[in-house]
Amino acid sequence: MEGVFAALDRFFIDIIGTIIPGSILILGIWVILDQPNLFGSTQLFPIGDVSGWILLIAISYITGHAVSSIGKGLTSFIIEPSFQKLFKVCPTFSTYFSFIKSGKELREQIERRADFSGFVSKISRRFPSLSDFPESEKGFGFWRNLALSTSTDNSLVYRFVFISLLNLGIATDLILIALLWALLIALQKVGMVSSVQTMNWVIWIALLFMSLPFLERYYQFHRRSLQIPFSMAFIALSNEAEKEDRLAEIGKQTGTPAGKATVYLAGGFCSDWQDRVKLAVPEFEYIDPRQHNLTDPVEYTLWDLEGVAQSHIVFAYLENANPGGYALALELGYAKALSKVVIFIDEWASSEHEQAKYIDMLRAASMKVFSSLEEGIDFLEVLSKLYRR
């Protein structure tokens, strides 16, 4: 379901990102053609009708895609080469318009960053088979695709792409409206166009200058959309390597058994969370206090503590529904005294439970602390791979 909502979010962003530039261009053409009744009196856009609005949105969507394509060509073949020549003639301009960089310059700038080189180094060590790929194929796009595949959440990248394209579309609209206005004035003088808004050179020049801030935002967010996948992937790989090192250290401390390791499930009996853990990570043997059916406190306390002693890992879950957590505290403290691996799931801290401040010692005595059962299960699953070695 989360994937469906993410897809709808991306689709909505894409629609808005094309309709806005498309509608701005249509509005600009309407104004310079001096047609105040274009959407009201003619049959081309019967705007008072629902179908007319649908038609207008559809045309704006199509126009927006055309604007995006024109903007890409405008920046690549006109704006960037022109400014590069201007920088050579007058280097002072490079101080104010340094954000305008060609795609090649931008890629080279990112490739010099530490997060890019760090990602390439880590991913190459993790997957030695990458060395089999020809060097000619391992360009910027190759590494960026790997970075996007490594990251679990690329929504931020997509949003940066959307913002950059939206700003490019608006900048392109302003430039096109100015150019079309000048062209239509010229066509009016030769009698090819009858009705055109009288040229106002102040507004015309203002349209061109107004495009610069939008171009600046386009280049800034375009750079971020190219750069951030490497930062996110580098952090993800670093965290994974740190987790693996920590697991190796745990294995040395506990002495991994030859057969299945045993996990003691400490916590309340209300929500049947124990079944979720067993189903998610079947590689372990589990000691479940629900199984003893003892009612005498002396008997079940002895059973529970012996279960802790016989286990290799204590998975302690302090859920919000737990009224006091006293039995769990005893089991966790006993596990700490026996140098067991203790994984503590503390929902009290994340939910601001009124007694959360009194269990700092439980957190300190645990080898790993999580705020949700899902996170604890994920860690237990990773831990199971170490115990299978």
Side-chain angles (χ1 to χ4, degrees), residues 256-259 281-284 381-389:
T256 304
V281 194
E283 291 81 3
F284 288 113
E381 186 175 4
V382 175
L383 196 61
S384 69
K385 299 176 183 177
L386 177 67
Y387 277 81
R388 290 201 302 270
R389 292 177 182 174

Side-chain angles (χ1 to χ4, degrees), residues 23 26-27 30 35-42 44-48 56:
S23 58
I26 292 174
L27 179 62
W30 170 49
Q35 297 290 330
N37 296 319
L38 182 62
F39 297 110
S41 62
T42 71
L44 182 60
F45 293 105
I47 220 64
L56 177 60

Side-chain angles (χ1 to χ4, degrees), residues 103-381:
K104 181 180 178 182
E105 288 178 312
L106 192 54
R107 291 190 294 271
E108 290 175 349
Q109 180 183 5
I110 295 174
E111 288 173 348
R112 290 193 295 268
R113 288 176 54 88
D115 52 359
F116 177 87
S117 57
F119 165 75
V120 172
S121 176
K122 285 184 177 294
I123 199 74
S124 298
R125 286 199 302 269
R126 185 171 182 81
F127 300 103
S129 60
L130 289 175
S131 60
D132 298 335
F133 285 80
E135 290 299 322
S136 58
E137 294 183 8
K138 292 191 286 188
F140 181 86
F142 174 86
W143 295 116
R144 187 170 184 270
N145 289 336
L146 280 179
L148 289 170
S149 301
T150 303
S151 301
T152 57
D153 182 10
N154 292 311
S155 58
L156 184 61
V157 178
Y158 189 83
R159 289 182 183 278
F160 282 164
V161 171
F162 158 70
I163 294 173
S164 67
L165 291 179
L166 178 61
N167 280 278
L168 176 62
I170 296 174
T172 305
D173 283 338
L174 296 172
I175 295 172
L176 287 178
I177 290 171
L179 295 178
L180 286 172
W181 195 1
L183 176 62
L184 289 171
I185 288 292
L187 293 176
Q188 184 186 40
K189 291 183 178 179
V190 296
M192 297 182 64
V193 177
S194 59
S195 178
V196 180
Q197 188 70 248
T198 304
M199 175 61 75
N200 186 318
W201 290 104
V202 174
I203 296 177
W204 191 85
I205 295 173
L207 287 172
L208 294 178
F209 273 97
M210 285 168 58
S211 68
L212 291 176
F214 291 102
L215 280 175
E216 190 271 340
R217 301 309 291 168
Y218 158 68
Y219 280 104
Q220 291 291 343
F221 281 98
H222 180 55
R223 176 184 58 79
R224 294 175 188 176
S225 69
L226 294 178
Q227 174 185 311
I228 199 170
F230 299 107
S231 302
M232 296 175 66
F234 177 72
I235 292 172
L237 290 173
S238 299
N239 290 339
E240 193 169 333
E242 182 181 346
K243 182 187 295 183
E244 291 177 354
D245 292 342
R246 183 58 178 160
L247 291 178
E249 181 183 342
I250 292 173
K252 292 178 182 178
Q253 292 175 357
T254 59
T256 304
K260 278 192 173 182
T262 304
V263 177
Y264 180 85
L265 299 173
F269 295 170
C270 298
S271 62
D272 292 329
W273 60 270
Q274 295 90 342
D275 296 331
R276 292 175 57 190
V277 176
K278 294 177 184 179
L279 184 62
V281 194
E283 291 81 3
F284 288 113
E285 294 285 354
Y286 290 95
I287 299 176
D288 188 347
R290 296 178 303 172
Q291 298 170 348
H292 58 55
N293 294 319
L294 299 172
T295 57
D296 188 303
V298 175
E299 293 178 356
Y300 65 67
T301 299
L302 179 62
W303 194 101
D304 290 2
L305 295 182
E306 183 60 25
V308 172
Q310 293 297 326
S311 66
H312 301 96
I313 301 169
V314 173
F315 190 90
Y317 178 35
L318 183 59
E319 55 189 322
N320 284 324
N322 197 316
Y326 302 115
L328 179 142
L330 173 62
E331 293 164 338
L332 193 153
Y334 188 58
K336 176 65 176 179
L338 296 177
S339 299
K340 302 295 182 179
V341 176
V342 178
I343 302 171
F344 182 36
I345 315 302
D346 178 17
E347 283 190 349
W348 282 13
S350 59
S351 63
E352 298 182 355
H353 194 282
E354 59 182 4
Q355 298 187 54
K357 59 184 177 181
Y358 300 118
I359 60 170
D360 288 341
M361 289 183 67
L362 297 184
R363 301 187 192 97
S366 305
M367 185 167 288
K368 199 70 177 175
V369 180
F370 297 99
S371 59
S372 70
L373 181 61
E374 288 73 20
E375 291 175 323
I377 291 175
D378 289 342
F379 182 75
L380 193 63
E381 186 175 4

